[in-house]
Amino acid sequence: MTKPNLLSGMQPSASSLHLGNYLGALTQWVAMQKDYNAYYVIVDLHAITVPQDPKELRENTRRTAAQYLAAGLDPEQSALFVQSHVPAHAQLAWVLNCITGFGEASRMTQFKDKSQKGGADNSSVGLFTYPILQAADILLYQPKSVPVGEDQRQHLELTRDLAMRFNSRFGDTFTIPQAQILKETAKIYDLQVPTAKMSKSAADPKGLINLMDEPAVITKKIKSAVTDTDGEIRFDQANKPGVSNLLGIYSAITGKSVAEIEASLSGQGYGSLKSEVAEAVIATLDPIRVRALELLEDKGELDSLLAKGAKKANEQAEATLALVYDRLGFVRP
Ligand code: TYM
């Protein structure tokens, strides 16, 4: 039986992925790769919707690839590739731009948030059409499933709407993809502002655990995580967001249930909780950091893995694009 397709991706916009990327997406990717014909993309075209230093972008693209591999993605099994190596992404994005309403695009909350921060004149048109490029990324690969964190839900809804619209106007072309969002890890929160999602644009770097952080740095960040004053280790998202976030991270990392953790730490202080969380996070992340650094020592090997992934991705993407162009009525060369 042929396996269903899967696609997901991340932006290479920082020198390290963070714990939210890892628990919200990357661990799901690793778990799903055996059962799907999976495509994992590094979305450099998306990264340039906000200013990027070219040297850093090049470095961060390879660092992202190294972290994908170090976390357990298997390049023999799945296609790992860079978005700009597959021209069909930009080509399909143009087609989808032409069936997206201006009002529809204006309702995307991520654009509203990001553009409010920088002001309209500092926001690029690329940032505005970002979700449409994301829809193209997805639809080219005809995936059944798209494993992501909660913050991508609205973009996945737009993707589904555009796929259905195209199919109903031009005939069945795209598979309608399903977002795969795991309840427990859909949103990992900032350690300093535990009501906000963990994000690379955090105001305070202490709020963010990076996959490439040294163990001592991770311990320091977790030890200084914001908690509360009632002193009880109990999951209560509304009233105890800091403690609940630590419990959620601990549970996701170890596979123990929150109830089990609450019981084992009952009567102890936040210091003990933090020590245990730090130890568990380091035990998982440190081998990834070490492996990623090793992989980065051989850029030639890394680039050739990405070239191999791009070859497979291009085959699938070009087939979908050819079908789309045909359906649209373009005369083919
Ligand atoms: P990006 O690069 O911001 O994030 C990559 C993945 O990590 C998840 N994530 C989180 N999950 C839980 N808690 C958090 N605090 C957290 N922060 C991030 C994201 O939900 C995502 O799954 N637009 C996408 C990139 C993209 C894409 C795609 C994704 C472009 N094309 C096609 C899927 C399919 C983004 O900015 O992800």
Side-chain angles (χ1 to χ4, degrees):
M1 217 179 73
T2 57
K3 296 177 184 173
N5 287 0
L6 175 158
L7 174 122
S8 200
M10 296 198 192
Q11 296 197 65
S13 46
S15 61
S16 176
L17 301 176
H18 60 70
L19 191 62
N21 300 137
Y22 178 71
L23 294 177
L26 199 46
T27 51
Q28 287 202 73
W29 299 4
V30 174
M32 293 173 85
Q33 65 183 341
K34 282 194 195 64
D35 300 322
Y36 288 84
N37 179 34
Y39 295 86
Y40 296 120
V41 57
I42 298 166
V43 293
D44 54 353
L45 300 176
H46 277 105
I48 63 160
T49 56
V50 298
Q52 297 290 335
D53 173 78
K55 193 163 161 270
E56 282 175 18
L57 179 61
R58 193 169 292 122
E59 174 69 15
N60 292 344
T61 299
R62 293 198 178 104
R63 285 178 76 92
T64 304
Q67 290 168 82
Y68 277 11
L69 291 162
L73 292 186
D74 176 1
E76 295 300 321
Q77 204 155 222
S78 310
L80 312 189
F81 68 101
V82 178
Q83 189 185 28
S84 65
H85 295 178
V86 182
H89 289 248
Q91 292 170 300
L92 181 61
W94 177 255
V95 173
L96 297 178
N97 275 328
C98 298
I99 65 160
T100 308
F102 197 83
E104 189 176 30
S106 309
R107 285 192 290 276
M108 295 292 115
T109 54
Q110 198 168 69
F111 172 74
K112 285 199 252 178
D113 291 349
K114 285 194 184 174
S115 59
Q116 256 161 23
K117 277 186 201 151
D121 284 342
N122 292 319
S123 306
S124 68
V125 175
L127 188 63
F128 183 66
T129 61
Y130 177 118
I132 303 164
L133 176 60
Q134 181 166 349
D137 298 341
I138 296 169
L139 297 178
L140 280 173
Y141 299 90
Q142 310 284 10
K144 192 173 155 208
S145 181
V146 185
V148 285
E150 177 62 40
D151 59 351
Q152 299 303 311
R153 191 183 288 279
Q154 196 188 30
H155 290 171
L156 262 295
E157 275 309 312
L158 176 73
T159 303
R160 289 165 57 86
D161 287 348
L162 294 178
M164 288 187 258
R165 188 172 308 157
F166 190 97
N167 285 354
S168 78
R169 280 193 202 165
F170 300 103
D172 246 7
T173 306
F174 296 121
T175 303
I176 310 300
Q178 190 76 46
Q180 158 97 8
I181 302 173
L182 286 188
K183 193 168 151 277
E184 295 76 15
T185 51
K187 191 168 179 182
I188 303 296
Y189 295 86
D190 186 287
L191 297 180
Q192 289 298 315
V193 189
T195 46
K197 76 164 180 182
M198 187 177 281
S199 144
K200 34 199 160 209
S201 51
D204 182 346
K206 285 206 302 298
L208 185 69
I209 295 177
N210 289 307
L211 265 59
M212 301 303 280
D213 280 344
E214 300 267 351
V217 174
I218 295 182
T219 304
K220 208 165 161 203
K221 287 177 177 174
I222 293 179
K223 291 271 176 183
S224 58
V226 166
T227 50
D228 53 56
T229 52
D230 91 351
E232 201 185 331
I233 299 175
R234 174 170 53 84
F235 193 94
D236 178 347
Q237 188 63 54
N239 300 306
K240 295 166 67 66
V243 171
S244 303
N245 189 34
L246 290 174
L247 286 169
I249 290 171
Y250 194 18
S251 165
I253 288 267
T254 58
K256 291 184 193 159
S257 73
V258 168
E260 219 175 309
I261 299 165
E262 283 171 341
S264 79
L265 285 168
S266 145
Q268 300 194 43
Y270 293 158
S272 316
L273 170 65
K274 288 177 172 179
S275 301
E276 288 202 16
V277 175
E279 205 179 302
V281 169
I282 291 165
T284 300
L285 295 194
D286 207 46
I288 298 177
R289 179 182 66 89
V290 170
R291 179 73 188 126
L293 290 174
E294 273 168 21
L295 289 163
L296 283 163
E297 276 170 21
D298 192 347
K299 295 214 166 54
E301 173 64 16
L302 207 51
D303 288 359
S304 84
L305 281 178
L306 292 171
K308 195 175 137 220
K311 188 167 179 288
K312 182 175 173 202
N314 265 304
E315 280 164 18
Q316 169 68 60
E318 279 169 14
T320 304
L321 188 72
L323 183 62
V324 167
Y325 278 4
D326 184 58
R327 292 271 149 89
L328 286 166
F330 289 174
V331 172
R332 309 305 300 130

